[in-house]
Amino acid sequence: MSQLVTQTEPTSPPSRRPLGWYSSLVGWRRLIVLATLGLVVISLTRVITGAHDIDSSGALAAALALAAPIALAGLGGLWSERAGVVNIGLEGMMILGTWGAAFFASNYGPWAGLLGAILMGAVGGAVHALATVVFGVDHIISGVAINLLGLGAASYLAVRTFEATGGTQSPSLPELPRITIGGLSDWLGEIERGRTFLVADVASVLRALVTNLSVVTVLVVALMVLSWWIIWRTSFGLRLRSCGESPTAAETLGVNVYRYKFIAVLVSGGLAGLGGGFLAMVASNLYREGQTGGRGYIGLAAMIFGNWRPGGLAAGAGLFGYSDAIYLRGGGDVIHAFLLPFSVFLLLWGVWALWRRRQGKRVVGLVSVLIAVGVFAWFALTSIFPRELTGMTPYLATLIVLAFASQRLRMPKADGVVYRKGEAS
């Protein structure tokens, strides 16, 4: 009796997309969609409320200038924490960078000032790396010490080097080049002054990018892109991230964990120092005590908001820079105008939470709806945001954004863990 034997031909494995590049493409598409939606919302708010400074080219240019040092500090934190080293000493490294930029720029020229800022920030990073990576000091304690050390060292060095101006500030520093495309800037200005829905808003965004733009701002954008490529698209970056996720596993694969952590913290300090140099050479054109104003800490908040990724970090820095710019421009009417879309957002959020009908979400939804009603009533019954509260806007924006983003955050698994070679983490 013969048996019928059936054979199946081997099937070829299904084709797969290059997941890394595909996910990046999806991420960029999502970012473009969100940016377009945000511009439409802002344009509607401008037309309805009449707060035309809400996205004027002047406000956006100021926001870029204020966001750049925050982005550099946050990018420094990203390098360090992706390698598993918490760096709350960014503020102290920025302070060292402000003095380094002023000293080297006043003696050797503006480009030397940028290099001096990076060098002084890297010195602070080297001290932090020596304490945390080599000697195993708690990362938070070392970061606090770096902040105190940076503040004291910069004050002492300023007294020794800027005696002619009293030791608390430097003479005026030589300026770095700025980019302005004259004809295009004037044409976009005419479109912006027309105040047409959405068209004027696009023109104001473009005009802010082609009018009096510092080359250091362009450098900041290039560093963001370069950091993304190095950390997520190279073998060096893969090894560095493995040190932040599981240093023990990286060690078993032959990765020199100490070396990668040390390099990451050095780069972190250099970037934070460059952020301080931006404040001294671009934002104010001189060094003075206390000019960082806590931007190192805000950079950390921007990094956390961005979920330890450059794209989200840039968005967070832009938000904080914009809120600070509106405050400095005395934009009580602009902040008042934002109460309208904020109330609508809270209302939609609350309705969505109630629609899900989950026990925990119902309370959240009800609270969101009640707050939305209160915010809308505030908008309808007033005409301007109180000047006394305007100064709190950057910090309130920080708290609100972190509150909404906290549910999706994921820090590196071994971030802040003291590593010792040969020991299980």
Side-chain angles (χ1 to χ4, degrees):
M1 187 175 187
S2 61
Q3 294 181 346
L4 180 63
V5 180
T6 60
Q7 295 183 348
T8 59
E9 296 183 0
T11 58
S12 59
S15 59
R16 296 182 179 179
R17 292 179 182 267
L19 293 179
W21 290 105
Y22 179 69
S23 61
S24 299
L25 180 60
V26 171
W28 279 108
R29 287 177 178 174
R30 184 180 303 168
L31 183 62
I32 292 172
V33 170
L34 290 176
T36 304
L37 181 61
L39 190 61
V40 170
V41 171
I42 290 176
S43 183
L44 280 172
T45 304
R46 175 182 63 82
V47 172
I48 294 172
T49 62
H52 296 293
D53 198 39
I54 195 170
D55 63 348
S56 66
S57 57
L60 296 179
L64 276 175
L66 291 166
I70 295 174
L72 285 170
L75 190 60
L78 186 145
W79 270 86
S80 179
E81 299 208 9
R82 278 294 176 179
V85 180
V86 174
N87 189 0
I88 68 168
L90 293 169
E91 179 74 8
M93 298 171 195
M94 288 187 77
I95 295 173
L96 289 172
T98 58
W99 178 86
F103 176 77
F104 282 89
S106 59
N107 288 280
Y108 307 106
W111 294 107
L114 288 183
L115 295 178
I118 296 171
L119 175 63
M120 291 303 298
V123 169
V127 175
H128 187 51
L130 184 67
T132 57
V133 178
V134 178
F135 295 114
V137 176
D138 182 88
H139 299 185
I140 304 299
I141 295 175
S142 176
V144 172
I146 293 296
N147 289 332
L148 298 175
L149 177 64
L151 178 62
S155 298
Y156 171 77
L157 291 171
V159 170
R160 300 292 295 178
T161 54
F162 303 133
E163 294 180 4
T165 52
T168 58
Q169 69 177 41
S170 70
S172 295
L173 303 176
E175 295 186 1
L176 288 159
R178 292 180 176 270
I179 301 170
T180 298
I181 305 177
L184 180 59
S185 176
D186 296 338
W187 177 64
L188 291 171
E190 293 178 2
I191 298 176
E192 180 185 357
R193 287 187 289 272
R195 296 178 178 177
T196 306
F197 170 72
L198 198 59
V199 176
D201 305 276
V202 174
S204 65
V205 172
L206 295 177
R207 191 176 184 225
L209 298 176
V210 298
T211 306
N212 203 30
L213 183 67
S214 172
V215 293
V216 187
T217 304
V218 179
L219 177 61
V220 172
V221 176
L223 287 173
M224 298 284 288
V225 176
L226 181 63
S227 295
W228 167 81
W229 181 78
I230 291 175
I231 297 176
W232 274 272
R233 289 292 177 265
T234 65
S235 57
F236 172 85
L238 178 62
R239 295 188 186 101
L240 185 142
R241 285 185 288 124
S242 70
C243 295
E245 295 292 341
S246 179
T248 305
E251 178 190 334
T252 60
L253 295 175
V255 176
N256 190 330
V257 177
Y258 287 137
R259 179 190 301 168
Y260 279 87
K261 286 179 177 287
F262 211 100
I263 291 173
V265 181
L266 278 179
V267 174
S268 174
L271 289 169
L274 182 58
F278 187 99
L279 291 172
M281 299 189 62
V282 180
S284 60
N285 202 34
L286 55 83
Y287 161 86
R288 66 175 183 272
E289 289 187 359
Q291 70 186 140
T292 55
R295 286 177 175 83
Y297 302 112
I298 299 178
L300 276 177
M303 178 200 67
I304 296 171
F305 163 75
N307 204 13
W308 288 265
R309 289 181 173 272
L313 161 64
L319 175 63
F320 303 144
Y322 177 79
S323 60
D324 203 9
I326 293 301
Y327 160 64
L328 292 176
R329 291 170 67 89
D333 58 333
V334 173
I335 301 173
H336 177 264
F338 271 115
L339 294 176
L340 176 60
F342 184 58
S343 64
V344 174
F345 171 76
L346 284 177
L347 179 63
L348 295 176
W349 178 278
V351 171
W352 175 77
L354 291 172
W355 177 75
R356 295 188 68 180
R357 297 181 181 179
R358 293 183 180 178
Q359 186 64 32
K361 293 292 183 180
R362 289 180 180 177
V363 177
V364 174
L366 182 60
V367 171
S368 297
V369 171
L370 292 176
I371 295 176
V373 173
V375 172
F376 182 78
W378 188 4
F379 168 78
L381 298 176
T382 59
S383 59
I384 195 168
F385 199 80
R387 178 64 184 175
E388 295 78 12
L389 299 178
T390 304
M392 301 169 56
T393 303
Y395 309 102
L396 286 176
T398 303
L399 292 175
I400 292 171
V401 168
L402 289 179
F404 279 102
S406 61
Q407 300 300 319
R408 61 174 183 83
L409 300 179
R410 181 197 171 276
M411 64 187 295
K413 290 182 179 179
D415 194 16
V417 177
V418 176
Y419 165 75
R420 279 289 167 265
K421 188 173 182 179
E423 297 181 2
S425 58

